[in-house]
Each structure stands twice: as C-alpha cells, then as structure tokens.
C-alpha cells in the first residue's frame, strides 16, 4: 500500500486540506496549529502516507482510521506547554479507549483519567502506569474502589460526601489509605451544549463550593483518607479560556481557606473540556490555555493536572463510510451510507456538526445531500445539507471522529461494530477487528424449552 502517484502532477503539500479549510474560514494563522495528518494528495484523501481508499478497499467500511502522528502531536502540545511546571496529563479514556490508542499515549508518558473499573483494566492492559491514573465519576462502586486501591492509582476524584465515607471505609477494610481530590462544582457557565455542560449548580456533578470546605475538613479527620488535591471539570467542547479561569479563581479561594485550616493540597486539576474545530469554532490552542492557567499558579507550589480527551483524540480520527444509494424526493437529496448512528452517535444525540468530505475529490457537479444511515430512525444521520459531488459507491470521511466516536457506538439493529485502524506513516494496523454477528450472539442463551 504505497504512496499514490498523481499522474496529473497535482500533488499538494500534506497541509492541503487544512489550508483549504482555513482559508475558507479566514483563519490563516491557524494553519499549522490545527494541522492533522488527514490531507489530500492530488484529489485523494490520505491518512498520513496511506490512501484512505486503499484502506477502505482492504479492510471494508464503515471504519475508523486514526493517525498516530496526530495523536502524538496533540499530546505533545500539552506536554510542551506544561514542561516548565510540575504537571500530570491524564488523557480522558472515555474519549477513545482503544488499547493501541492508550498505548501510544502511555509511551509518551501520559497519565489517564478513568471513570470505571473497566477503563482501569484497559489502561493497565495498554501499559499505562497506575500511579498516573485518576479516577473520576460520581458512582464508583465498592468493587471499583477496591480495584483502584489495589492498583495503587494516583487519586480518586470524590463527587459526594457519601462517596468519601465509602472510600474511607473500604480503604480501612483493605488496610490502606485512599488518596483523594474533591471535585468542586464552581457554578460557572461553560457556554457549551447543555448535555455536555457539567459545572453549573443544577448539574449532578461535583460538590458545591459552599459544602466543599466541610467535606475537606471531614476528609482530613478520616484515618482511611489522604488529601491530595482539588479538581473541577466544567464541561466539554469549551471554546474560550474564560470559564476555566473563572473556575480556577473560585477554587483558589478555597485552596487558601484550606491552607488556613491546615489542609494543604498538592495538586490542582483543571479537568478536560478544551474544544476543537469541528466547523467554524475557534477554540484556543492547548498552549494558549495552559499559558494563562500557569499564570494563576505563579508562586504556588502545586502540580497542575489536566484531563483532556477531545482535544487530543478528536482530530486524530476519521470515520469512513461508503455511499450505498442516492435517493431524491421533491425536497431533498439523500446519500444513504453504510455507516449509521450506531457507529457515530454524536450527530443524532447532540445534533453535532462534523465535517463530511469525499475520499476522492471530483469536479463533477455537486448537490446538497443529507447523509443518512440505514437505521429506522429519523435521527439516523451523519450530516444534513452537505454540498457534495458524489455518486453511489463513493467513499465519504467524517472528520473529527477520533473522540466520542467508536466509544459511543452500539449494536443497535444488530449491526456489528466497525473496525478501528491506526496509520503510522506508511504502516497500517488493524487495532480492533470488525465485529461479526456471531460475536453479537455469543452471550445470548435460548430458553431450555
Ligand atoms: N474529565 C471529566 C471528569 C469528564 O467528565 C470529561 C468528559 C473529561 C475529563 C474529558 O473532556 P474533554 O476534554 O473530552 O472535553 N460525548 C460527548 C462528550 C462528553 C464528555 C464527558 N466528559 C461528546 O461527544 O461531545
């Protein structure tokens, strides 16, 4: 599967599509900042050095294709920005939990933010270090707490007083001490989609600032608890630094109050949530966010923790699907594709907009299409009103699908889940086999009679 030769000599630089999109949106200064490794060479879309159409031919569609270089580049953006401050970058495993993805990040020294015992198993299976794991989530079970204690994770991010009590009891029962941070809900508006906004007082997450001080005092008196830090996570796909800075200010007031009470915190965790460019959003680059965050910690001896998911993984992946049929009625054109809401749920669940581009560009006349899957739900669409020049059999790529893509997929309509593929320069590796229907039946049983 070598480099494709463009006989018309129209080979363009790898930044071709980034440049194209950027110019369209008049954001020229962001060309290099936002560059990923899914670019056109001539009219063919490439993943790093491999033609996407060759991958689709060999491994079938629908499929997720990830770029190792892009993943690494995004992780390094955080690592570089934080290099001069004590820090831990904990990739939010929920964004993309494939073992190969976690392994690539673990090799760069990443820590991990987990929300279940299953995610802890994945991190350890992928070569991640338990001592760099933080355990988020508001419903940790006793079994999960035992699992985290046995593995020796960095800390549990506590979301309620009831959870704190349980952590204390379980740790004492295990003859150990549970390291904790309190997730404080700073009541700031992240200005994002209501389903992915988590830092308002009406949200179920964290402990309100009024109550958190008391919770810390109780924690300090518990023999099974060791206080490590403080954390917040105010939402996802944030496109401004302001909510982060507001939340930091509010929590630093608390840090100082705690110091007066003799409770010293070693780390401050600003959660995840930095947005990406799906369409015309202009989120700050990780280095811009971290630069202003670090200013807040000048003169403070605190390790900064971050929990990015989307900003590392989203633009490191595409979802590739093939057009089965074209269909038109008096009002609309539909491109019916072999990928569906069970594969990529974000458009159906959040009305999320993700860019859809042809794998082979054509200069044929274009038309506006709704790109829809075969599932019997009106919500089963990948994109609406997209200007495309396509015919049946064409391949389409949905961009920014490396985060909250495969991980949110299901088997609805008894559709086996898609294969996941990682490209590394010229190398192509299947990092998750396509499921087959036998896999889906495997755990089901008929009645005895
Ligand atoms: N830390 C905690 C405690 C979180 O709850 C989350 C995401 C993250 C970190 C990572 O946030 P990120 O950097 O990825 O924004 N399914 C939705 C996103 C849900 C995010 C949930 N929490 C979507 O597809 O947009």
């Amino acid at each position: 599967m070598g480099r494709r030769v463009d006989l018309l000599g129209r080979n363009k630089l790898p930044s071709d599509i980034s440049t194209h999109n950027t110019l369209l949106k008049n954001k020229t200064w962001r060309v290099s900042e936002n560059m990923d490794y899914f670019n056109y060479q001539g009219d063919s879309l490439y993943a790093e050095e491999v033609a996407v159409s060759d991958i689709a031919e060999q491994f079938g569609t629908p499929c997720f294709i990830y770029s190792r270089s892009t993943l690494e580049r995004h992780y390094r953006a955080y690592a570089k920005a934080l290099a001069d401050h004590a820090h831990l970058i904990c990739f939010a495993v929920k964004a993309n939990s494939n073992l190969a993805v976690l392994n690539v990040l673990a090799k760069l020294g990443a820590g991990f933010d987990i929300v279940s015992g299953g995610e802890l198993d994945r991190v350890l299976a992928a070569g991640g270090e338990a001592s760099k794991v933080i355990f988020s989530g508001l419903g940790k079970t006793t079994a999960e707490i035992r699992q985290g204690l046995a593995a020796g994770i960095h800390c549990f991010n506590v979301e309620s007083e009831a959870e704190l009590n349980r952590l204390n009891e379980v740790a004492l029962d295990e003859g150990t001490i549970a390291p904790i941070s309190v997730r404080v809900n700073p009541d700031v508006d992240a200005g994002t989609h209501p389903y992915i906004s988590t830092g308002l007082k009406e949200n179920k997450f964290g402990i309100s600032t009024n109550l958190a001080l008391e919770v810390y005092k109780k924690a300090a008196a518990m023999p099974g608890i060791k206080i490590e830090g403080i954390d917040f996570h105010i939402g996802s796909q944030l496109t401004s630094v302001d909510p982060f800075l507001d939340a930091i200010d509010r929590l630093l007031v608390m840090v100082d109050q705690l110091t007066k009470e003799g409770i010293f915190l070693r780390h401050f965790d600003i959660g995840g949530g930095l947005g990406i460019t799906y369409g015309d959003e202009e989120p700050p680059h990780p280095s811009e966010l971290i630069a202003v965050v670090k200013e807040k910690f000048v003169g403070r001896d605190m390790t900064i923790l971050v929990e990015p998911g989307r900003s590392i993984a989203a633009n490191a992946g595409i979802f590739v699907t093939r057009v089965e049929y074209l269909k038109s009625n008096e009002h609309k054109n539909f491109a019916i594709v072999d990928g569906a809401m069970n594969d990529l749920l974000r458009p159906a669940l959040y009305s999320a907009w993700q860019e859809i581009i042809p794998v082979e560009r054509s200069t044929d006349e274009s038309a506006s299409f709704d790109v829809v899957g075969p599932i019997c739900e009106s919500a089963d669409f990948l994109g609406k009103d997209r200007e495309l020049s396509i015919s049946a059999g064409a391949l389409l790529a949905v961009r920014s699908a490396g985060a909250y893509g495969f991980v949110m997929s299901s088997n609805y309509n008894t559709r086996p889940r898609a294969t996941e593929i990682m490209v590394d320069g010229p190398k192509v590796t299947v990092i998750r086999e396509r499921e087959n229907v036998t896999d889906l039946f495997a755990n089901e049983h008929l009645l005895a009679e």
Side-chain angles (χ1 to χ4, degrees), residues 78 90 92 94-95 113 115 136-137 157 159 183 195-196 198 205 231-233 235-238 271-275 278 307-311 346 349-350 403-405 408:
Y78 280 98
C90 295
K94 62 163 77 77
D113 169 47
V115 287
S136 298
N157 287 358
E159 298 230 10
R183 175 168 176 180
Y195 284 12
I196 50 176
T198 50
F205 300 99
D231 64 283
F232 67 75
H233 173 78
S236 204
Q237 185 55 13
L238 273 64
L274 182 61
Y278 284 103
E307 307 169 4
R310 190 190 315 266
S311 53
R346 301 190 71 258
L349 188 58
Y350 313 114
Y404 307 112
M408 291 175 74

Side-chain angles (χ1 to χ4, degrees), residues 84-86 252 255-256 259 264-266 268 292-304:
D84 57 358
H85 196 109
L252 281 176
V255 169
D256 293 337
T259 306
F264 301 100
L265 306 184
R266 298 192 330 174
F268 192 115
V292 289
V293 167
K294 279 192 302 192
E295 278 171 25
K296 299 279 183 194
F297 291 91
V298 172
R300 289 182 185 268
D301 186 17
M302 294 190 97
T303 300
I304 298 176

